């Protein structure tokens, strides 16, 4: 774990769970697997606080536990999982695009709560949807259940490992920690529930709000006695599947940018066909025959078989090698090459970074070295058609930032410098790692700046919130224009301007975080796929 | 080693590799040596590309900010206990400052967690300030646990009312005495202030037998 990653994890935990959880989480990430007593001793927090923090972290799948010998339970944190928290808005937006508002809320609830039972999710989502819908209508549980089942079928949500009760639990004392196992087949199996009901609207008037909790409190013990039909079956969001989806989306848009809409549709059809047959970290999809692709093209697309074949040949011959031809049976067997696709995307990211940071001439040199693999100083100047002095300057700038590296090739066994070739080369994997590290640092800087800006203007923000609350309450009791005007004037014009600037800055910083996270996703996927191949 | 002394005099500034191979020709002006770390915010040569705007970007942005706010309200957000201020203030009674004991606000599924993490679930403590006063009848059958609980509630409300506390403490003592079934006969028999055994009411005096009187009685 690099320092930048640890710092970013610490900021994420602090923003979402508070300082105590942050301290425990960062300690676990830094030091690895630890038992409870050691955590208490090293972090200096009280035992109860540590227990609370660990419960929260385990609930959100950020920490796992393992029973070691002599009954000691050790806790281990997953740094990469903590970094995923940056991507939550993107997951939720994707679900909204695919399954509408219902799906969006289901995934949001699952992400916010870590893991939940299906009945709890359905109930909460129905209640939330009922509030947004107009008066008189309510959201039926059945609709929400349907969407949930669709999400489970397409594997966007999965079951958490279940408690494995040993058979002879009477003779042995209960283990210090439950053993959690999950069967591969059961992971997406939705339990048969008959959830009948409608969403409840939460009343907005104060009287009802006061009446309801008082009525609810005696009911609370009876609720616990009702057997929950799917007790013990918890669901969580399947982040790998989301990543697969993002990867597919990026590939399709890359093809659309490079060629045209039709080819991107063909690639999309191929990806859709291999969604469930290919595991998420496979380097290739299963070979698909041209006939199958033709059959599974979207209905509106009227292209003839010949045109499809031509497109496929074009895609397979493309130097980017997104699509490869693996055989001739069935009209031609085609695969999508994920490794190569991710490598091209990562390289494109690197090129774009160099272009934006150093200029287009530097980018030209970079692309040149990439293409020719190894080049001498003189050759770079000749091929790039850039005067020697500038070429030197640019090469050294890129060298100092570690985008380009030097490769020594000795002519003589004693490696004498005057008789050694020094060649410039680009090692895409190490450059990608370096860029990823820089991305983590950027996100850390962005978050810190945002927190700083908010802290600077805390007094002003609180004041504006108070004024808004006053306006709302005055409006509710019915007020004239003059009164509202007067209240609004409590915030002076320069203060208003300051608030505007603050809002704009915070929005910009937030949007930048989201943007950097997209780059992080791309680079991480590339590095992961390359490492697996090796 | 042979060049150690000689290197300073002759061939000053010799490098281990041939400069021309890397591209620095003879007599070329090299950039000035760096004597300090590079500036923290170097001037940008190229402005960054504008952020993607549009419906999707704005929606995701709004979603992110909403999520941030929502997470702070969830029970998973553990606030550190506010440190006790130097003097107890009257307003402390009316300000809610987080959970008083170390219980959890939400209910995790304890079956899925290691046993050592289980925290005693806080029972709903009802207000007992006015109810305890009439409870005088002996409660010898009362469980020890309930007294402990009562003692704990008392502890928590210590700062609020001191006079009530004293009364309650007296009751506790009474109850405890009844429970322990100690009956201090000496103190309570006649409800006097005098301990009975110290008082000798003279019944034994002069009741000694007069037989075998060899010694004189004074």
């Amino acid at each position: 774990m690099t320092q930048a990653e640890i710092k970013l994890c610490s900021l994420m935990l602090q923003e979402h769970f508070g300082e105590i959880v942050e301290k425990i989480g960062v300690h676990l990430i830094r030091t690895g697997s630890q038992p409870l007593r050691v955590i208490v001793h090293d972090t200096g927090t009280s035992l109860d606080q540590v227990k609370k923090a660990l419960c929260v972290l385990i609930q959100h799948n950020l920490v796992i536990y393992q029973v070691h010998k002599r009954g000691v339970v050790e806790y281990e944190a997953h740094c990469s999982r903590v970094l995923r928290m940056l991507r939550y808005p993107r997951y939720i937006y994707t679900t909204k695009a695919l399954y509408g508002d219902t799906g969006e809320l289901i995934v949001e609830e699952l992400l916010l709560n870590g893991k939940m039972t299906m009945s709890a999710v359905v109930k909460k989502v129905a209640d939330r949807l009922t509030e947004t819908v107009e008066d008189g209508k309510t959201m039926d549980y059945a609709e929400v259940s349907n969407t949930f089942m669709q999400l489970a079928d397409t594997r966007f949500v999965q079951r958490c490992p279940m408690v494995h009760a040993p058979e002879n639990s009477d003779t042995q004392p209960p283990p210090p920690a439950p053993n959690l196992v999950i069967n591969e087949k059961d992971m997406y199996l939705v339990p048969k529930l008959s959830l009948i009901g409608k969403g409840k609207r939460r009343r907005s008037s104060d009287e009802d709000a006061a009446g309801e909790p008082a009525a609810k409190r005696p009911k609370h013990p009876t609720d616990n006695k009702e057997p929950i039909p799917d007790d013990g079956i918890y669901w969580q969001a399947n982040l790998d599947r989301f990543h697969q989806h993002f990867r597919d989306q990026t590939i399709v848009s890359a093809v659309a940018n490079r060629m045209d809409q039709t080819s991107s549709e063909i690639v999309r059809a191929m990806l859709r066909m291999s969604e469930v047959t290919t595991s998420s970290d496979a380097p290739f999809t299963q070979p698909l025959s041209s006939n199958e692709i033709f059959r599974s093209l979207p209905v509106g697309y009227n292209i003839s078989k010949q045109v499809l074949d031509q497109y496929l040949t074009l895609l397979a011959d493309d130097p980017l090698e997104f699509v490869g031809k693996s055989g001739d049976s069935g009209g031609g067997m085609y695969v999508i090459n994920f490794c190569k696709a991710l490598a091209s995307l990562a390289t494109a990211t690197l090129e774009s970074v160099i272009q934006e940071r150093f200029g287009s001439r530097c980018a030209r040199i970079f692309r040149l070295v990439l293409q020719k693999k190894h080049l001498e100083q003189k050759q770079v100047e000749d091929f790039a058609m850039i005067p020697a002095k500038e070429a030197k300057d640019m090469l050294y700038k890129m060298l100092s930032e570690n985008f380009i590296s030097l490769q020594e090739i000795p002519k003589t066994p004693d490696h004498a410098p005057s008789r050694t070739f020094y060649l410039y080369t680009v090692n895409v994997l190490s450059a990608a790692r370096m860029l990823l590290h820089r991305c983590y640092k950027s996100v850390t800087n962005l978050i810190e700046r945002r927190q700083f800006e908010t802290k600077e203007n805390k007094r002003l923000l609180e004041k504006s919130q108070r004024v808004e609350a006053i306006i709302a309450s005055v409006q509710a009791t019915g007020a004239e224009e003059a009164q509202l005007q007067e209240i609004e004037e409590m915030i002076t014009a320069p203060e208003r301007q300051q608030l505007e600037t603050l809002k704009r800055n915070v929005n910009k910083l937030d949007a930048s975080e989201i943007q950097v996270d997209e780059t992080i996703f791309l680079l991480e996927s590339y590095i992961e796929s390359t490492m697996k191949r090796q | 080693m042979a060049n150690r002394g000689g290197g300073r005099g002759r061939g000053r500034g010799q490098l281990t590799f041939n400069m021309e191979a890397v591209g620095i020709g003879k007599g070329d002006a090299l950039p000035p040596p760096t004597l300090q770390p590079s500036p923290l915010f170097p001037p940008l040569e190229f402005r960054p590309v504008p952020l993607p705007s549009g419906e999707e970007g704005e929606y995701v942005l709004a979603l992110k900010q909403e999520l941030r706010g929502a997470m702070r309200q969830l029970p998973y957000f553990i606030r550190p206990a506010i440190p006790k201020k130097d003097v107890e203030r009257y307003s402390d009674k009316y300000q809610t400052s987080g959970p008083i004991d170390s219980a959890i606000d939400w209910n995790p599924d304890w079956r899925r967690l290691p046993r050592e993490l289980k925290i005693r679930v806080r029972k709903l403590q009802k207000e007992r300030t006015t109810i305890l006063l009439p409870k005088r009848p002996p409660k010898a059958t009362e469980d020890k646990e309930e007294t402990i609980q009562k003692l704990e509630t008392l502890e928590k409300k210590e700062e609020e009312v001191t006079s009530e506390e004293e009364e309650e403490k007296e009751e506790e003592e009474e109850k405890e005495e009844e429970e322990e079934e100690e009956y201090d006969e000496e103190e309570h028999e006649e409800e006097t202030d005098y301990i009975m055994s110290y008082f000798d009411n003279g019944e034994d005096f002069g009741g000694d037998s007069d037989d075998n009187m060899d010694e004189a009685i004074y």
Side-chain angles (χ1 to χ4, degrees):
Chain A
M1 294 298 114
T2 61
Q3 284 301 316
E5 282 177 23
I6 297 180
K7 183 90 179 94
L8 183 55
C9 287
S10 129
L11 281 172
M12 294 258 85
L13 286 174
Q14 185 194 10
E15 266 200 341
H16 291 237
F17 298 120
E19 281 168 7
I20 300 177
V21 178
E22 181 244 330
K23 212 193 306 189
I24 311 290
V26 167
H27 175 78
L28 277 175
I29 292 174
R30 254 203 197 113
T31 50
S33 195
Q34 306 256 294
L36 183 63
R37 293 279 158 196
V38 180
I39 302 176
V40 174
H41 178 261
D42 284 346
T43 54
T45 32
S46 72
L47 182 63
D48 283 327
Q49 304 277 47
V50 175
K51 282 187 192 173
K52 268 203 262 194
L54 281 174
C55 285
V56 170
L57 287 169
I58 295 178
Q59 171 76 12
H60 282 82
N61 308 314
L62 301 172
V63 160
I64 57 165
Y65 57 83
Q66 259 184 329
V67 184
H68 284 252
K69 56 183 187 287
R70 285 205 238 130
V72 173
V73 182
E74 289 201 348
Y75 302 93
E76 193 177 341
H78 288 301
C79 177
S80 52
R81 180 62 181 81
V82 180
L83 294 173
R84 293 298 148 263
M85 293 178 72
L86 199 52
R87 216 168 281 162
Y88 281 2
R90 200 171 167 196
Y91 298 139
I92 299 175
Y93 180 74
T94 310
T95 328
K96 182 191 173 82
L98 290 174
Y99 293 102
D101 284 336
T102 324
E104 175 194 4
L105 286 179
I106 291 178
V107 170
E108 188 177 328
E109 285 298 322
L110 280 175
L111 284 173
L112 281 180
N113 288 300
K115 18 173 131 56
M116 288 173 88
T117 58
M118 179 170 165
S119 35
V121 174
V122 167
K123 195 154 159 303
K124 243 190 185 169
V125 171
D127 287 343
R128 275 179 78 171
L129 282 171
T130 312
E131 284 176 31
T132 57
V133 151
E134 64 256 9
D135 277 326
K137 285 207 208 155
T138 53
M139 193 72 191
D140 205 9
Y141 280 10
E143 209 176 310
V144 182
S145 305
N146 277 340
T147 319
F148 193 96
M149 281 197 273
Q150 279 177 336
L151 280 169
D153 280 336
T154 45
R155 307 196 171 189
F156 279 107
V157 299
Q158 68 185 31
R159 281 234 277 234
C160 301
M162 316 243 290
V163 178
H164 175 69
E167 286 88 30
N168 49 346
S169 52
D170 293 322
T171 51
Q172 288 172 359
N179 187 17
L180 297 175
V181 290
I182 181 82
N183 200 346
E184 190 62 41
K185 298 183 288 184
D186 292 336
M187 245 207 276
Y188 305 103
L189 209 57
V190 179
K192 296 259 183 307
L193 300 173
S194 55
L195 290 168
I196 304 169
K198 293 196 189 305
K200 291 192 197 35
R201 186 185 297 277
R202 190 180 47 184
R203 307 272 196 86
S204 55
S205 64
D206 287 348
E207 293 173 356
D208 286 310
E212 267 186 12
K216 274 205 175 117
R217 230 183 266 140
K219 267 197 203 155
H220 191 59
T222 60
D223 270 353
N224 285 341
K225 289 196 189 128
E226 274 174 25
I228 308 169
D230 60 345
D231 189 32
I233 302 180
Y234 289 89
W235 293 81
Q236 63 184 358
N238 185 2
L239 300 187
D240 279 334
R241 178 72 182 87
F242 278 106
H243 293 164
Q244 216 180 336
H245 182 83
F246 294 155
R247 181 194 63 186
D248 295 347
Q249 259 183 337
T250 325
I251 293 179
V252 166
S253 68
V255 173
N257 278 340
R258 186 167 173 83
M259 304 176 89
D260 69 343
Q261 184 70 17
T262 321
S263 15
S264 77
E265 280 303 322
I266 296 175
V267 173
R268 198 200 300 267
M270 287 173 77
L271 284 167
R272 208 179 310 128
M273 276 162 43
S274 28
E275 249 170 23
V276 254
T277 54
T278 328
S279 64
S280 62
D281 46 0
F284 298 88
T285 58
Q286 298 290 329
L288 302 163
S289 72
S290 156
N291 298 330
E292 280 175 11
I293 301 174
F294 184 62
R295 273 197 298 264
S296 64
L297 277 179
V299 186
Y301 255 72
N302 294 337
I303 54 172
S304 68
K305 184 85 172 40
Q306 277 175 330
V307 174
L308 172 70
D309 281 335
Q310 279 177 342
Y311 266 114
L312 283 170
T313 327
L314 212 59
L315 278 167
D317 287 338
D318 190 78
L320 275 185
E321 294 187 34
F322 280 14
V323 177
K325 187 163 183 180
S326 72
D328 284 318
S329 58
M333 303 291 277
Y334 296 93
V335 291
I336 297 195
N337 198 337
F338 288 127
C339 269
K340 290 257 167 57
L342 286 170
S344 317
L345 288 167
T347 321
T349 313
L350 281 168
E351 284 173 21
S352 152
V353 166
I354 298 227
Q355 183 163 350
E356 294 305 326
R357 211 163 250 282
F358 302 118
S360 50
R361 291 170 126 196
C362 253
R364 185 153 27 123
I365 294 180
F366 186 77
R367 275 196 291 268
L368 184 68
V369 179
L370 249 178
Q371 195 183 6
K372 304 269 187 187
K373 303 277 187 295
H374 296 275
L375 281 179
E376 263 188 342
Q377 169 81 39
K378 194 86 181 38
Q379 286 172 312
V380 169
E381 293 161 20
D382 290 339
F383 282 128
M385 294 182 286
I386 292 178
K389 217 168 182 183
E390 286 175 30
K392 231 186 306 176
D393 194 31
M394 290 178 193
L395 274 172
Y396 292 152
K397 225 187 313 185
M398 286 194 283
L399 189 65
S400 68
E401 306 255 358
N402 288 322
F403 284 108
I404 282 187
S405 45
L406 269 179
Q407 169 77 43
E408 296 176 4
I409 300 186
K411 287 190 226 178
T412 55
D414 62 349
H415 286 253
S418 55
R419 291 186 293 273
T420 318
F421 285 117
Y422 290 96
L423 301 176
Y424 290 101
T425 181
V426 175
N427 185 346
V428 182
L429 186 60
S430 68
R433 271 196 225 269
M434 187 270 305
L435 192 57
L436 184 62
H437 184 257
R438 271 170 95 143
C439 284
Y440 288 136
K441 259 180 134 167
S442 318
V443 181
T444 315
N445 289 347
L446 286 167
I447 296 180
E448 289 214 1
R449 179 71 198 196
R450 175 167 48 79
Q451 285 180 344
F452 172 75
E453 294 269 328
T454 321
K455 200 154 61 155
E456 282 273 294
N457 296 298
K458 199 164 103 155
R459 190 197 69 86
L460 193 56
L461 275 172
E462 280 174 7
K463 180 175 176 185
S464 82
Q465 272 172 359
R466 265 203 311 270
V467 167
E468 271 175 30
I470 295 176
I471 290 183
S473 65
V474 161
Q475 255 179 352
T477 57
E480 321 116 13
E481 264 307 310
Q483 259 184 317
L484 287 173
Q485 199 93 13
E486 209 181 294
I487 297 175
E488 274 183 20
E489 272 168 25
M490 276 168 65
I491 303 187
T492 63
E495 281 181 344
R496 230 177 258 284
Q497 197 144 15
Q498 210 177 339
L499 274 174
E500 274 298 314
T501 321
L502 173 67
K503 190 165 166 195
R504 209 179 37 232
N505 287 344
V506 169
N507 282 351
K508 217 189 270 196
L509 290 166
D510 268 330
S512 315
E513 277 175 48
I514 297 172
Q515 183 66 29
V516 178
D517 179 62
E518 285 187 22
T519 314
I520 288 179
F521 167 68
L522 205 57
L523 292 170
E524 272 180 357
S525 310
Y526 163 63
I527 292 174
E528 212 182 296
S529 81
T530 320
M531 296 312 289
K532 283 222 176 63
R533 206 161 48 120
Q534 288 172 3
Chain B
M1 273 234 296
N3 271 346
R4 213 165 33 115
R8 259 178 279 134
R10 269 181 283 134
R12 189 178 302 204
Q14 264 180 358
L15 298 167
T16 54
F17 58 97
N18 188 5
M19 281 207 309
E20 278 162 8
V22 200
I24 307 171
K26 260 199 174 149
D28 261 355
L30 290 170
T34 30
L35 297 165
Q36 55 193 358
S38 48
L40 201 53
F41 294 111
L44 274 182
E45 291 171 15
F46 301 93
R47 306 235 73 196
V49 183
L51 292 163
S53 58
E55 211 187 292
E56 180 185 333
E58 283 177 23
Y59 189 84
V60 180
L61 181 64
L63 197 54
K64 182 174 182 46
Q65 290 173 337
E66 250 182 61
L67 273 179
R68 215 176 21 237
M71 279 219 162
R72 295 188 88 94
Q73 305 299 324
L74 285 176
Y76 306 115
F77 192 95
I78 302 180
R79 283 165 222 277
I82 299 171
K84 279 223 158 103
K85 296 204 190 62
D86 44 1
V87 181
E88 298 159 9
R89 302 197 186 251
Y90 181 77
S91 60
D92 282 348
K93 187 159 73 156
Y94 297 105
Q95 269 178 359
T96 46
S97 58
I100 312 166
D101 56 9
S102 50
I104 270 188
D105 287 332
W106 49 288
N107 280 329
D109 189 353
W110 294 111
R111 296 168 295 182
R112 293 180 67 95
L113 294 170
R115 260 183 317 158
E116 60 187 5
L117 287 185
K118 184 152 185 168
I119 300 178
R120 179 180 63 84
V121 175
R122 170 175 53 161
K123 290 188 201 156
L124 272 175
Q125 308 269 4
K126 290 187 230 157
E127 291 294 321
R128 290 176 186 226
T129 42
T130 51
I131 297 174
L132 271 174
L133 278 169
K135 272 197 191 147
R136 252 169 216 276
K139 285 212 170 162
T141 53
E142 223 178 74
D143 279 345
K144 278 264 178 350
E145 261 189 37
E146 279 195 39
T147 17
I148 295 174
Q149 255 189 15
K150 276 193 195 145
L151 282 172
E152 281 178 353
T153 18
L154 291 176
E155 259 181 89
K156 278 169 201 148
K157 299 195 170 81
E158 204 180 47
E159 6 170 349
E160 289 173 21
V161 186
T162 48
S163 59
E164 268 180 296
E165 194 189 356
E166 282 171 4
E167 274 182 315
E168 287 163 350
K169 270 204 179 135
E170 278 179 11
E171 287 170 54
E172 297 295 318
E173 281 176 11
E174 273 186 70
K175 282 188 214 132
E176 264 179 73
E177 284 174 2
E178 288 172 69
E179 279 183 337
E180 289 166 339
E181 290 177 357
E182 260 182 23
Y183 184 58
D184 208 346
E185 185 184 303
E186 297 167 339
E187 288 177 354
H188 290 293
E189 197 179 43
E190 282 179 10
E191 299 202 5
T192 56
D193 286 337
Y194 302 98
I195 298 176
M196 295 309 289
S197 59
Y198 290 173
F199 174 61
D200 183 23
N201 58 5
E203 285 170 6
D204 298 332
F205 186 70
D208 294 332
S209 62
D210 285 333
D211 305 331
N212 305 326
M213 285 305 296
D214 294 328
E215 289 158 28
I217 298 171
Y218 299 97

